Amino acid sequence: MSSQPILSVRNLERRYGAFIGCTDISFDVWPGEVVAIVGESGSGKTTLLNCISGRMERSAGTVCYRMRDGRFPDLGDLSEAERRFLARTDWGFVHQNPADGLRMRVSAGANVGERLMAVGERHYGNIRRTATDWLERVEIAAARIDDQPVAFSGGMRQRLQIARNLVTHPRLIFMDEPTGGLDVSVQARVLDLLRMLVADLGLAVVIVTHDLAVARLLSQRMIVMKSGRIVEQGLTDRVLDDPRHPYTQLLVASIPES
Amino acid sequence: MTRAHALPAYNFAYLDEQTKRMIRRVILKAIAIPGYQVPFASREMPMPYGWGTGGVQVTAAVLGPHDVLKVIDQGADDTTNAVSIRAFFAQVAGVATTTKTTQATIIQTRHRLPETPLQAGQTVVYQVPIPEPLRFLEPRETETRVMHGLEEYGLIHVKLYEDIAQHGHIATTYAYPVKVEGRYVMDPSPIPKFDNPKMHRSPALQLFGSGREKRIYALPPFTDVVSLDFEDHPFQVQTFKAHCALCDAGGVYLDEVVTDDHGGRMFVCSDTDYCETRRTEGHRGTGLPSDREDAGREDAR
């Protein structure tokens, strides 16, 4: 692991009028590390994720990102063009509902190829080769390259969304409940795939989930949120095996023992 | 001409002067930023949306008393839309009208560009149903505006990719997206892609008006207009095996005309003026009856 963080969040706050979305948030993400943000519904997880991925304006605080050239600017200081360029090259965003992250009415191949075309790839054969390669990596049969995602099952859609995000070799992926809408066996397969890809590609991941099992499986570090604030953060195993904050203890205790 | 005097309630060219002024300002801005869609306060016109309300407003704004107007609909001068718009301006502006491309100073068109090359000093006014080339890929107008602003045009290639994936070649045949001066991606209106190369560095001024969508955009003379494509699937125009059955022209855009209910058909120029001009010059296609039969038919009439 590198000695410099790839993403650094300091005193982040997001208000909806008088209401607090999230406040007083500070944490770092290092390259190649998976950080899970857990908490119950309405605890500000998704607000936080949207703020640090530049999808939502923040009310206060800084979010600095390490660019490929080593600069470490605050995302708010980048122009919109630069931010959007980052979002489609260096970053990925995996939505809970694949329909939000995919173009449902264009073929799987074009879904994967879109980012390549956005960064200037103009050779059909190359785009198709890369798309085929990525479909295979996420275990979608190459024969389905010309099918539209509407014809795919939920698990396939989610895997397609992952392929679409990874095709430009991003360094940082944001995930919002990536396994939220899937049944348990499909969930396991997607998690397995994610774990493999993250390890292979050395990705930094910020993953939002309410499922502690997902956090345990994927993440090295964990941030527990409640009512818009961080109540506890630390190594995943430590937080789950030795929770210190009463809320975390409640959360861990509420997992049904198998 | 005389009808114009009989209708004193109408200002010259139907629109009031303030409206024309507004549209002219928009046209100037559109010319200054080739390919950029400039919003304008589109007016109600005495015709339904989709019949060329945008084109008519642009024509009304640029029309002067000494202009000669030609109106084309699908290449023809004698179809409903062309005839009625021509009659409209003859009535409310009293301008001279023509069907000859070479004589016209303003050519309002729908779905075609004339085969006769355009000249400096001529103005082409396109009727545009949907000015946004990204519309069917990204329905949010707020988003497409940002994409134009930041030059994010990857999405337009997704459409071309889909074409090749489904049909083995780029199957878009009309409203084929173009890039203007290396900057804005533009919808050339639903002209066949056959006509796209004619827009490239044309000496004529080209204006595009969309009444329902309230947008005007423009190509000043000698503007670069490049049709988008892939390196391994380059842009190609339609080609026809046949020659025109009436005037024997090759390398022109042909319409298929069904001639009887026994499967009989012939291919003729879609540009009626071009076809007629060639016939008066003595070119004869294989579909024309011989001179004697022709004469006989004249007698019968």
Side-chain angles (χ1 to χ4, degrees):
Chain A
M1 247 179 233
S2 160
S3 57
Q4 287 179 317
I6 190 169
L7 185 79
S8 183
V9 181
R10 288 290 173 272
N11 304 317
L12 181 78
E13 179 174 84
R14 165 74 201 190
R15 284 177 173 276
Y16 298 100
F19 182 76
I20 292 172
C22 61
T23 186
D24 198 21
I25 308 284
S26 298
F27 66 94
D28 293 326
V29 180
W30 274 268
E33 171 188 54
V34 180
V35 177
I37 302 173
V38 301
E40 62 193 12
S41 294
S43 60
K45 308 185 298 277
T46 301
T47 297
L48 172 59
L49 192 72
N50 284 337
C51 284
I52 61 178
S53 60
R55 299 162 57 83
M56 188 187 273
E57 292 282 316
R58 55 202 130 103
S59 309
T62 58
V63 178
C64 294
Y65 175 71
R66 179 90 46 203
M67 313 280 271
R68 280 182 201 249
D69 60 8
R71 286 187 299 139
F72 198 52
D74 188 297
L75 293 178
D77 296 339
L78 295 177
S79 67
E80 191 179 3
E82 286 177 296
R83 253 200 319 271
R84 287 173 67 110
F85 185 75
L86 267 186
R88 64 171 192 265
T89 53
D90 241 15
W91 293 356
F93 198 105
V94 178
H95 295 261
Q96 173 173 6
N97 180 3
D100 295 340
L102 292 172
R103 293 190 188 279
M104 297 304 280
R105 288 285 170 192
V106 306
S107 69
N111 264 297
V112 178
E114 180 179 344
R115 275 177 164 228
L116 294 173
M117 295 183 245
V119 295
E121 177 61 72
R122 293 288 178 266
H123 191 284
Y124 175 81
N126 292 350
I127 294 168
R128 198 156 173 91
R129 235 184 331 276
T130 314
T132 314
D133 183 43
W134 269 101
L135 287 182
E136 275 164 8
R137 288 179 82 163
V138 297
E139 299 165 19
I140 295 175
R144 304 214 55 181
I145 188 169
D146 292 332
D147 291 352
Q148 295 179 352
V150 285
F152 285 7
S153 70
M156 282 173 78
R157 287 180 193 182
Q158 198 56 283
R159 280 179 277 138
L160 179 63
Q161 196 191 179
I162 291 164
R164 169 182 160 92
N165 273 290
L166 296 183
V167 67
T168 47
H169 299 286
R171 298 156 68 217
L172 177 61
I173 304 280
F174 301 100
M175 296 186 191
D176 187 4
E177 306 266 11
T179 56
L182 307 175
D183 64 49
V184 182
S185 61
V186 177
Q187 220 180 67
R189 193 166 167 200
V190 170
L191 284 174
D192 209 37
L193 179 79
L194 273 178
R195 197 161 59 158
M196 210 171 62
L197 287 172
V198 165
D200 278 0
L201 303 169
L203 295 170
V205 179
V206 179
I207 179 169
V208 159
T209 180
H210 62 264
D211 188 339
L212 294 182
V214 170
R216 164 94 81 181
L217 198 66
L218 283 179
S219 68
Q220 284 106 41
R221 276 196 314 128
M222 196 159 140
I223 293 169
V224 184
M225 286 185 73
K226 184 179 188 306
S227 309
R229 291 168 193 276
I230 295 181
V231 295
E232 183 164 355
Q233 58 175 314
L235 295 176
T236 302
D237 290 344
R238 204 280 292 153
V239 173
L240 289 178
D241 296 340
D242 178 22
R244 288 176 194 169
H245 191 274
Y247 175 72
T248 318
Q249 291 169 357
L250 184 78
L251 209 61
V252 172
S254 66
I255 305 174
E257 290 293 329
S258 54
Chain B
M1 272 292 208
T2 50
R3 291 290 302 279
H5 298 296
L7 297 167
Y10 288 115
N11 188 32
F12 175 78
Y14 188 76
L15 293 174
D16 63 276
E17 291 304 314
Q18 279 303 313
T19 301
K20 283 199 254 178
R21 185 183 147 98
M22 174 270 294
I23 296 174
R24 284 173 194 150
R25 291 173 69 119
V26 167
I27 292 172
L28 285 176
K29 181 169 179 181
I31 292 171
I33 318 171
Y36 172 70
Q37 301 165 41
V38 188
F40 79 111
S42 176
R43 299 289 194 251
E44 291 281 334
M45 296 303 283
M47 58 204 290
Y49 286 136
W51 285 52
T53 52
V56 161
Q57 289 179 75
V58 171
T59 302
V62 299
L63 197 64
H66 303 297
D67 272 315
V68 182
L69 180 68
K70 170 180 163 80
V71 184
I72 316 171
D73 173 10
Q74 308 268 12
D77 293 282
D78 53 3
T79 43
T80 314
N81 204 234
V83 170
S84 59
I85 291 175
R86 210 161 50 222
F88 174 74
F89 281 113
Q91 201 174 75
V92 299
V95 293
T97 59
T98 182
T99 58
K100 298 264 171 268
T101 303
T102 46
Q103 289 170 7
T105 56
I106 297 177
I107 303 171
Q108 182 172 334
T109 181
R110 167 175 182 261
H111 290 201
R112 268 322 299 285
L113 270 177
E115 302 290 356
T116 312
L118 299 167
Q119 282 150 23
Q122 288 184 315
T123 303
V124 184
V125 179
Y126 295 80
Q127 302 170 197
V128 182
I130 294 169
E132 180 52 72
L134 303 164
R135 169 70 51 86
F136 294 107
L137 299 151
E138 176 52 68
R140 288 170 296 179
E141 190 85 359
T142 48
E143 184 68 12
T144 56
R145 254 179 260 167
V146 173
M147 290 162 77
H148 281 294
L150 300 178
E151 231 180 312
E152 283 181 11
Y153 289 131
L155 200 52
I156 201 87
H157 274 87
V158 170
K159 179 177 149 58
L160 301 180
Y161 172 97
E162 282 290 276
D163 267 4
I164 303 173
Q166 283 177 29
H167 306 286
H169 60 101
I170 299 179
T172 304
T173 52
Y174 67 96
Y176 191 103
V178 293
K179 196 160 207 183
V180 178
E181 284 288 318
R183 177 58 181 85
Y184 283 99
V185 165
M186 186 187 93
D187 184 333
S189 87
I191 57 170
K193 65 179 173 182
F194 183 86
D195 287 341
N196 274 16
K198 294 182 195 161
M199 305 175 108
H200 181 57
R201 298 207 180 141
S202 167
L205 170 65
Q206 301 174 75
L207 305 174
F208 300 76
S210 180
R212 186 190 57 202
E213 304 281 328
K214 302 176 172 55
R215 293 287 184 279
I216 287 173
Y217 48 105
L219 297 172
F222 306 107
T223 303
D224 280 344
V225 179
V226 180
S227 303
L228 298 174
D229 57 6
F230 284 103
E231 288 160 15
D232 46 348
H233 287 267
F235 172 75
Q236 283 174 328
V237 298
Q238 294 102 327
T239 52
F240 298 89
K241 290 190 198 101
H243 279 205
C244 172
L246 300 179
C247 73
D248 199 36
V252 295
Y253 196 77
L254 300 178
D255 282 342
E256 186 179 17
V257 179
V258 175
T259 50
D260 54 36
D261 54 1
H262 306 297
R265 58 196 60 213
M266 63 178 185
F267 286 91
V268 297
C269 289
S270 99
D271 185 342
T272 52
D273 165 55
Y274 183 75
C275 198
E276 275 162 25
T277 308
R278 275 180 61 87
R279 269 180 284 158
T280 53
E281 285 168 359
H283 297 279
R284 299 185 61 80
T286 51
L288 272 185
S290 67
D291 283 337
R292 264 188 39 217
E293 281 173 339
D294 211 20
R297 210 193 274 171
E298 286 293 321
D299 291 343
R301 262 183 223 157

